[in-house]
Amino acid sequence: MPNVASPKQVAASLTEFWSPRVVAEVDDAYIKVAKVRGSLAWHSHENEDELFLVLKGHLRIEMESGPVELREGEMFVVPKGVRHNPVAEEECHLMLIERKSTLHTGDVVTEKTRSLDEQLRPV
């Protein structure tokens, strides 16, 4: 039987902010969902692009070239090597598509950094 998932429902069920959870795999990429509020950290992913899709709310992705504002249903790809900082003034639910090699906060480690094992925990 096929595995059907609702990223919106899974994101809404999460109890921790900035703690992405893997909900699917496609080839060499993970599909993740997260519930976020506040600021994550300035970081980059040297070898991987990162796709953000807003499932609920509003997300600002700060970048050195200027911010990108995303509303529900909108997506943006942060190109590899670009320093960025996701910020949500209010609770926001996201779907992320990243290569399996992508580290949560890239080249920076903070108290919000989550290991891959943490992200692979059952929802």
Side-chain angles (χ1 to χ4, degrees), residues 8 18 30 42 47 59 61 75 78 94 99 110 117 119:
K8 283 181 106 169
W18 299 111
Y30 283 129
W42 279 95
N47 299 304
L59 182 72
I61 302 175
M75 68 178 196
V78 176
L94 303 173
R99 285 179 35 204
T110 74
D117 284 342
Q119 295 176 62

Side-chain angles (χ1 to χ4, degrees), residues 5-8 10-11 14 18-26 28-36 43 45 48-55 93-106 114-121 123:
S6 168
K8 283 181 106 169
V10 175
L14 297 177
W18 299 111
S19 187
R21 301 300 268 283
V22 173
V23 294
E25 297 179 46
V26 177
D28 69 341
Y30 283 129
I31 311 303
K32 302 176 182 182
V33 295
K35 184 180 283 186
V36 301
H43 66 283
H45 307 283
E48 301 98 359
D49 297 331
E50 183 175 26
L51 182 140
F52 290 82
L53 171 66
V54 176
L55 301 170
H93 301 174
L94 303 173
M95 186 169 77
L96 306 155
I97 301 176
E98 307 171 333
R99 285 179 35 204
K100 291 179 180 179
S101 58
T102 305
L103 299 176
H104 181 220
T105 51
R114 299 292 178 259
S115 70
L116 184 56
D117 284 342
E118 290 174 292
Q119 295 176 62
L120 286 166
R121 288 178 294 155
V123 177

Side-chain angles (χ1 to χ4, degrees), residues 60-122:
R60 181 177 68 251
I61 302 175
E62 299 174 340
M63 296 180 290
E64 292 167 346
S65 62
V68 171
E69 304 283 340
L70 299 175
R71 300 201 183 322
E72 190 170 316
E74 295 180 327
M75 68 178 196
F76 179 77
V77 175
V78 176
K80 62 184 161 197
V82 172
R83 287 182 44 78
H84 60 287
N85 179 31
V87 178
E89 299 299 331
E90 304 289 331
E91 182 176 303
C92 177
H93 301 174
L94 303 173
M95 186 169 77
L96 306 155
I97 301 176
E98 307 171 333
R99 285 179 35 204
K100 291 179 180 179
S101 58
T102 305
L103 299 176
H104 181 220
T105 51
D107 57 350
V108 173
V109 176
T110 74
E111 70 281 353
K112 294 178 183 173
T113 301
R114 299 292 178 259
S115 70
L116 184 56
D117 284 342
E118 290 174 292
Q119 295 176 62
L120 286 166
R121 288 178 294 155

